[in-house]
Amino acid sequence: MALALVLAAAATPILSCPGGTIETSCTAAQVEAKIALTRARVTGIAQRCLYDFGGKCTVEASGRINPAGRGTALLWQKMLLAPRDGAQRRMLVLVAQDKAGKASLAGFAESSGSIGAPDLVVDNDQRQLIYVGGTPAGSGGGNADALFMSETAEPGWRRVDLSDWSEQGGKMLPTGYWLRGPAEFSFDDMTASAPVAREGDGDCCPRGGNALFDLDIQGDRLMLTRLRFQPMQPLGRDIEVTAGILED
């Protein structure tokens, strides 16, 4: 495994470890070892969980992606995981399947809140990108998105590290402004946008504008290469009106 991929895996915390309890910690490799890709499991992907979690597992959705001219299909399964002693999580597993029916793990993603179906956003002679949108539980306004990449020059699927996009973007903003999130990624044209908060904003309502970023993938890491941002500041005093007190 390349060093960049090791770092990407290490930067992504595991939410649902084998054993079905929140009392344990584990690595991505340990989760992958418990994802069963037998012919029977893959054939029954719509009914039976691929991940031997240890807690309760329910298949919520499954599907198939057929990239153009590749000869390899991508199957996916979204699971609802409920540990014996904690809040439920969601996991999505991507499986590459060749023409002979042989299956191999392309990757997995997790979220404490919601997770969407995978979307093949780039499919050309050089690269394929699969994007999985996700939102964490709570009101923090973050992202639980995942991006998987396969390149002609380096066959096989690997996960792109999205873990520090907010830190990178924050360093590009003027003093007194910071990213509030969540970001909206558009990997087909390699751009992203995110709300910006300014000094004095409350936790709920960023009022500093909207930042637009150009993106690049370097190694297995998402990099922000350019910022377009027009800072917004309040004009005059605040106006507050209660309905029913205005005169005609």
Side-chain angles (χ1 to χ4, degrees):
M1 181 182 290
L3 176 60
L5 184 54
V6 172
L7 294 176
T12 305
I14 303 301
L15 301 177
S16 303
C17 291
T21 173
I22 63 172
E23 297 298 327
T24 61
S25 60
C26 61
T27 65
Q30 289 172 317
V31 171
E32 292 170 358
K34 289 294 186 177
I35 296 176
L37 299 181
T38 63
R39 185 174 294 274
R41 292 282 186 103
V42 174
T43 301
I45 195 170
Q47 291 84 32
R48 187 179 178 187
C49 290
L50 297 175
Y51 182 34
D52 290 326
F53 172 48
K56 184 179 179 181
C57 179
T58 304
V59 177
E60 288 193 320
S62 62
R64 180 185 181 97
I65 299 173
N66 293 312
R70 294 281 179 142
T72 300
L74 282 166
L75 311 180
W76 59 270
Q77 182 186 77
K78 185 169 74 168
M79 293 167 279
L80 177 66
L81 305 177
R84 297 186 298 273
D85 52 359
Q88 65 186 23
R89 304 284 192 260
R90 283 180 167 83
M91 176 182 286
L92 184 134
V93 172
L94 282 171
V95 179
Q97 186 179 53
D98 64 19
K99 291 182 178 180
K102 182 179 180 180
S104 60
L105 182 64
F108 72 92
E110 297 178 281
S111 174
S112 59
S114 65
I115 195 167
D119 187 12
L120 181 65
V121 293
V122 174
D123 185 13
N124 56 41
D125 294 337
Q126 290 78 39
R127 174 186 288 176
Q128 291 177 306
L129 292 178
I130 296 283
Y131 170 61
V132 180
T135 304
S139 57
N143 288 78
D145 306 85
L147 183 67
F148 300 90
M149 176 173 64
S150 177
E151 295 178 303
T152 303
E154 190 175 349
W157 288 91
R158 55 194 190 275
R159 185 165 178 170
V160 178
D161 183 5
L162 310 181
S163 63
D164 65 346
W165 73 266
S166 182
E167 181 180 356
Q168 292 183 54
K171 292 178 179 178
M172 300 171 75
L173 291 171
T175 301
Y177 293 86
W178 60 93
L179 293 177
R180 179 57 57 83
E184 292 188 9
F185 294 106
S186 179
F187 289 111
D188 53 346
D189 57 7
M190 294 303 290
T191 61
S193 64
V196 176
R198 62 168 189 249
E199 296 284 355
D201 283 355
D203 291 339
C204 70
C205 311
R207 299 179 297 170
N210 199 58
L212 302 175
F213 297 96
D214 291 342
L215 309 175
D216 189 23
I217 298 174
Q218 299 177 12
D220 290 311
R221 182 185 178 201
L222 183 72
M223 301 297 296
L224 280 58
T225 60
R226 183 187 178 202
L227 164 70
R228 297 183 299 282
F229 170 60
Q230 183 174 1
M232 295 179 64
Q233 290 286 351
L235 298 176
R237 63 182 180 85
D238 290 341
I239 298 174
E240 183 175 343
V241 177
T242 301
I245 65 171
L246 296 179
E247 296 181 358
D248 294 334

